[in-house]
Amino acid sequence: MSKQKLSFQAEVAQLLHLVTHSLYSNREIFLRELISNASDACDKLRFEALNNASLYEDAPELEVRIAVDKAARTLTITDNGIGLSQQEAIDNLGTIAKSGTREFVGKLSGEQKADAQLIGQFGVGFYSGFIVADRISVESRRAGLPAAEGVRWSSTGTGDFEVEAIDRAARGTSVILHLRDDAADYLEGWQIRQIVGKYSDHISLPIKMEKEEWKEGENDQPGEMVKTGEWETVNQASALWTRPKKDITDEQYTSFYQQISHDPEAPLSWSHNKVEGSTEYTQLLYLPGKAPHDLYNREKVAGVKLYVKRVFIMDDADSLMPGYLRFVQGVVDSADLPLNVSRELLQESRDVKAIREGCTKRVLSMIEDLAKHEVAADGADDDAKAKAGRFSSFYKEFGPVLKEGLTEDFSNRERIAKLLRYASTTTDSVSVSFADYKARMKDGQEAIYYITADTLAAAQNSPQLEVFRKKGIEVLLMTDRVDEWALGYVHEFDGTPLQSVAKGQFDLGKLQDEAEKKAAEEAAESFKPVLAKLKEALKDKALDVRVTTRLVDSPACLVVQDGGMSMQLARMLKQAGQKMPDTKPTLEVNAEHALVKKLDGSVHFNDLAHILFDQALLAEGGLPDDPAAYVKRVNALLV
Ligand code: ADP
């Protein structure tokens, strides 16, 4: 291969522009990114070598070396991992293959601080070298290829890059950063050591640097650090999760989390355990403080990495965690799985099933623990005080995802239900649990009442709540899109049925006294002839028309059958392009309302009937089938 000049893919050019022009707030992350690439390259080699040990050639000890050359003003990061072939150098360092990074570029706001945070989250890797370098050369040889098939890639980080064939005896990759004038700090060995300690202590690979010694200057010359030719390991180089808990500080747990999650913030909590028994594994699991940008992306990769006997196997082992806990970050290291385990095998493995169950239970206990400490008791210890308020911030970020668990994880449904919180007619804050609700139920109340709506305001203003307000009965207000679907799987809590106030026949049971019941029956009886006419007038729109006592101020409302889909959900699914059967709602009227009383004998009966129906539809957030006809009818009456 002769020397060729190639252009970066447009997205790379865009990314490079950002990297070189605005990422100054946290420059040192470039080293974390390059070390992490080097470590990935070693993981890949180890993995491929499982089936082909000759790939180790004569260097089975995997390591990363960092060298500074003050005279040449270069910083070089060398690994003896899998390396790059000539074509791989062109493909991997000239285009952005990962959809995640492309998405990253799409999200850039142009605002420096926000973008810098984003880059942390996405970890755009290799290109971050251009934060400190005005030219980068990469020299590499892929494991297994002959020395003559080495490659040199180089670029100044603007429109294009060059590649050429080189001879390279050593397997693996050297990334040579030609430092910018303002990045001379990174030529100081101690500076690099400090950054390695901060970000890469837990990389399980040794990161080595040449030992330096202080040498006094001669003849009044200042002294300086000189290299000794001896390489020493500058990181802990042991996988954090393999160390005993008591030897690990909170800072170390936190920095490990930041390293694996790319989240610059601290986690809300973590749990580190060695599980013994029929399946042996170590779990180190974290609850993040913030939802990742792709939490609702169906293809989101799971956050738990799988290791087998300390060998990294895969990043996105989604069989280790159920979907509704996909936000959990961490590591599982199994002692039992075979090293060459494949994705297919993972899905069938009984060990994996046991690990998944164990991890699920562990995460639920972590969340329960936060819930328990949400409010710090008087005289609480520091640990408990630190946990206060964390549950609500967890719930704000991940509550809707947790609710998916009701539909997915039957064996833990009760535990999940206990963790759920809602707003209610007594509080706007999303803080009421089913248990809180039950404790406040009125004498004679037999159900937990709730309503689902698109927004809190829509829920609060819904006519179905009128009688509950009047009687001072609390109703849970559910406003997450997932709520109705999730509640389809839960019919009771701790023996008390859940009842939507917008579904089915209205029956307050013992909460209504005999006199009220009697009055309602009488009203219904005397209203019968009008009802029959209403049914006839609305036969295309309403399944049924009946008198209700659920309304106080409104003339009418719409309800669906018990167990049926609410009208909001039906609308939502329709909008999403799903075919929905045309089910009609039932119109319920308030026989005490002046407008309803007017119906009897009115010359406008037909118009009034339709207006009643359409207004009930408007009140719950829908639109009349024929808005123009509705307006015409109202106007006719207004005139
Ligand atoms: P990412 O690591 O997130 O995929 P990068 O931009 O950091 O993105 O790297 C792009 C690709 O370049 C990597 O996926 C990998 O294939 C290759 N690469 C980067 N650094 C190395 C290295 N030290 N050894 C081998 N391949 C590397």
Side-chain angles (χ1 to χ4, degrees):
M1 182 170 82
S2 56
K3 194 163 183 168
Q4 25 174 325
K5 200 173 205 154
L6 296 161
S7 295
F8 283 120
Q9 180 196 28
E11 277 111 337
V12 178
Q14 209 180 335
L15 183 64
L16 282 169
H17 185 84
L18 163 85
V19 164
T20 48
H21 287 85
S22 51
L23 271 186
Y24 288 102
S25 53
N26 195 12
R27 306 174 87 191
E28 64 194 27
I29 59 145
F30 80 91
L31 194 59
R32 173 190 74 193
E33 297 292 320
L34 295 181
I35 291 177
S36 145
N37 279 353
S39 156
D40 289 349
C42 291
D43 281 341
K44 281 184 204 157
L45 175 71
R46 211 181 274 131
F47 189 66
E48 278 191 31
L50 291 173
N51 295 318
N52 179 8
S54 72
L55 290 179
Y56 281 122
E57 301 173 7
D58 54 1
E61 299 295 329
L62 300 178
E63 59 177 35
V64 179
R65 290 185 177 215
I66 305 179
V68 287
D69 182 336
K70 278 191 178 158
R73 298 182 63 85
T74 58
L75 174 66
T76 302
I77 295 110
T78 301
D79 65 71
N80 57 359
I82 192 75
L84 292 156
S85 68
Q86 293 163 356
Q87 192 57 45
E88 283 169 337
I90 295 173
D91 292 344
N92 298 345
L93 304 178
T95 57
I96 298 179
K98 276 203 315 197
S99 60
T101 312
R102 224 174 300 136
E103 193 186 335
F104 165 81
V105 174
K107 280 195 188 240
L108 293 175
S109 64
E111 202 229 314
Q112 212 192 100
K113 210 170 151 220
D115 289 349
Q117 272 220 338
L118 262 188
I119 219 168
Q121 247 190 54
F122 280 82
V124 285
F126 172 75
Y127 302 105
S128 62
F130 286 106
I131 301 175
V132 295
D134 48 22
R135 189 154 65 84
I136 300 182
S137 351
V138 177
E139 297 181 0
S140 188
R141 175 173 69 78
R142 199 179 201 284
L145 292 181
E149 291 188 35
V151 60
R152 178 184 294 123
W153 176 103
S154 72
S155 172
T156 55
T158 43
D160 39 37
F161 60 92
E162 284 178 345
V163 276
E164 61 184 311
I166 56 166
D167 260 0
R168 181 176 160 101
R171 171 195 73 220
T173 307
S174 296
V175 177
I176 305 154
L177 305 170
H178 299 266
L179 295 177
R180 293 172 189 281
D181 290 341
D182 61 3
D185 279 3
Y186 303 110
L187 291 171
E188 299 298 340
W190 64 267
Q191 184 88 297
I192 301 292
R193 280 163 211 254
Q194 203 173 31
I195 303 172
V196 169
K198 184 156 157 200
Y199 295 111
S200 307
D201 229 10
H202 313 299
I203 294 270
S204 51
L205 217 54
I207 298 171
K208 293 183 174 170
M209 291 183 69
E210 218 176 316
K211 229 181 182 159
E212 289 176 309
E213 269 171 11
W214 180 253
K215 193 167 157 258
E216 292 294 343
E218 283 163 23
N219 306 330
D220 288 345
Q221 289 298 305
E224 59 175 346
M225 296 297 287
V226 291
K227 300 202 174 108
T228 62
E230 200 186 325
W231 290 82
E232 63 180 346
T233 301
V234 297
N235 64 334
Q236 286 258 5
S238 83
L240 180 86
W241 65 90
T242 61
R243 311 214 296 257
K245 263 163 129 159
K246 63 173 178 29
D247 297 346
I248 308 175
T249 65
D250 286 0
E251 288 71 30
Q252 287 171 323
Y253 276 122
T254 300
S255 95
F256 181 70
Y257 164 78
Q258 291 169 329
Q259 184 196 315
I260 58 169
S261 66
H262 292 293
D263 179 357
E265 307 286 321
L268 284 180
S269 88
W270 59 80
S271 179
H272 180 194
N273 310 281
K274 203 168 158 139
V275 181
E276 284 168 0
S278 57
T279 308
E280 266 182 43
Y281 61 97
T282 301
Q283 50 176 204
L284 172 52
L285 304 171
Y286 291 91
L287 292 181
K290 278 256 170 306
H293 62 93
D294 55 355
L295 186 60
Y296 293 99
N297 179 347
R298 278 280 139 210
E299 278 129 59
K300 177 192 151 47
V301 296
V304 177
K305 295 177 198 298
L306 175 66
Y307 284 72
V308 172
K309 302 184 192 76
R310 303 188 193 189
V311 177
F312 172 78
I313 304 295
M314 62 182 84
D315 238 340
D316 46 351
D318 47 12
S319 25
L320 296 179
M321 263 306 154
Y324 71 100
L325 299 179
R326 60 186 175 273
F327 49 81
V328 172
Q329 296 277 342
V331 167
V332 164
D333 191 345
S334 156
D336 303 316
L337 289 169
L339 279 167
N340 59 356
V341 65
S342 66
R343 251 166 234 284
E344 293 67 39
L345 219 102
L346 275 184
Q347 307 210 312
E348 289 155 19
S349 155
R350 288 185 50 194
D351 287 317
V352 171
K353 200 162 165 268
I355 293 176
R356 180 187 168 104
E357 278 167 14
C359 287
T360 302
K361 294 214 152 53
R362 178 58 61 183
V363 173
L364 290 175
S365 336
M366 282 159 77
I367 305 174
E368 284 160 0
D369 186 58
L370 291 186
K372 200 172 94 194
H373 291 94
E374 171 65 9
V375 182
D378 283 343
D381 62 13
D382 288 348
D383 188 41
K385 273 192 206 137
K387 282 183 186 160
R390 287 196 188 174
F391 178 73
S392 48
S393 60
F394 164 82
Y395 197 76
K396 210 168 117 228
E397 295 290 315
F398 303 109
V401 183
L402 190 64
K403 288 172 185 169
E404 293 173 16
L406 297 176
T407 72
E408 275 174 31
D409 186 353
F410 302 148
S411 60
N412 289 303
R413 199 179 279 158
E414 273 171 39
R415 283 180 80 175
I416 299 168
K418 281 186 188 157
L419 289 168
L420 302 184
R421 302 289 183 271
Y422 300 97
S424 89
T425 42
T426 59
T427 168
D428 282 356
S429 78
V430 180
S431 60
V432 184
S433 68
F434 288 126
D436 297 337
Y437 182 100
K438 274 194 75 168
R440 295 201 283 256
M441 274 177 24
K442 295 228 162 224
D443 273 352
Q445 185 176 345
E446 283 160 353
I448 296 172
Y449 293 106
Y450 70 90
I451 186 163
T452 55
D454 293 342
T455 62
L456 189 61
Q460 282 166 334
N461 295 324
S462 100
Q464 279 96 341
L465 294 183
E466 287 169 3
V467 75
F468 291 90
R469 287 237 166 74
K470 189 174 141 196
K471 292 191 169 286
I473 303 167
E474 185 171 14
V475 178
L476 297 175
L477 309 175
M478 305 193 175
T479 53
D480 278 335
R481 293 197 140 199
V482 58
D483 279 324
E484 187 177 340
W485 174 53
L487 281 202
Y489 292 80
V490 192
H491 303 290
E492 51 128 57
F493 179 82
D494 195 13
T496 308
L498 267 68
Q499 172 67 47
S500 162
V501 303
K503 287 183 187 173
Q505 280 275 13
F506 178 70
D507 179 11
L508 276 184
K510 294 183 191 135
L511 292 171
Q512 230 166 1
D513 58 41
E514 285 309 313
E516 276 176 320
K517 273 191 197 153
K518 206 149 167 256
E521 274 160 26
E522 280 170 17
E525 192 55 35
S526 65
F527 204 68
K528 260 193 174 155
V530 185
L531 271 188
K533 276 178 75 184
L534 268 178
K535 258 186 235 182
E536 179 55 27
L538 296 172
K539 65 176 187 294
D540 292 337
K541 289 178 166 173
L543 182 72
D544 191 12
V545 182
R546 62 187 178 223
V547 174
T548 187
T549 48
R550 87 171 93 213
L551 299 173
V552 179
D553 305 315
S554 301
C557 68
L558 296 174
V559 295
V560 295
Q561 279 169 299
D562 231 344
M565 188 185 288
S566 77
M567 301 183 64
Q568 299 99 270
L569 184 61
R571 269 200 301 277
M572 211 168 82
L573 292 175
K574 245 189 211 157
Q575 276 166 8
Q578 292 213 26
K579 273 219 170 65
M580 304 298 303
D582 258 330
T583 50
K584 288 185 237 161
T586 293
L587 180 73
E588 291 192 344
V589 294
N590 173 4
E592 301 295 312
H593 196 280
L595 181 58
V596 176
K597 283 187 175 153
K598 244 189 173 164
L599 279 168
D600 200 7
S602 166
V603 287
H604 301 294
F605 188 91
N606 201 46
D607 283 340
L608 280 173
H610 281 276
I611 289 173
L612 214 53
F613 182 95
D614 286 348
Q615 285 189 341
L617 192 57
L618 283 168
E620 59 89 52
L623 270 185
D625 280 343
D626 185 351
Y630 166 76
V631 171
K632 237 173 162 172
R633 285 194 177 108
V634 173
N635 286 350
L637 288 179
L638 287 175
V639 169

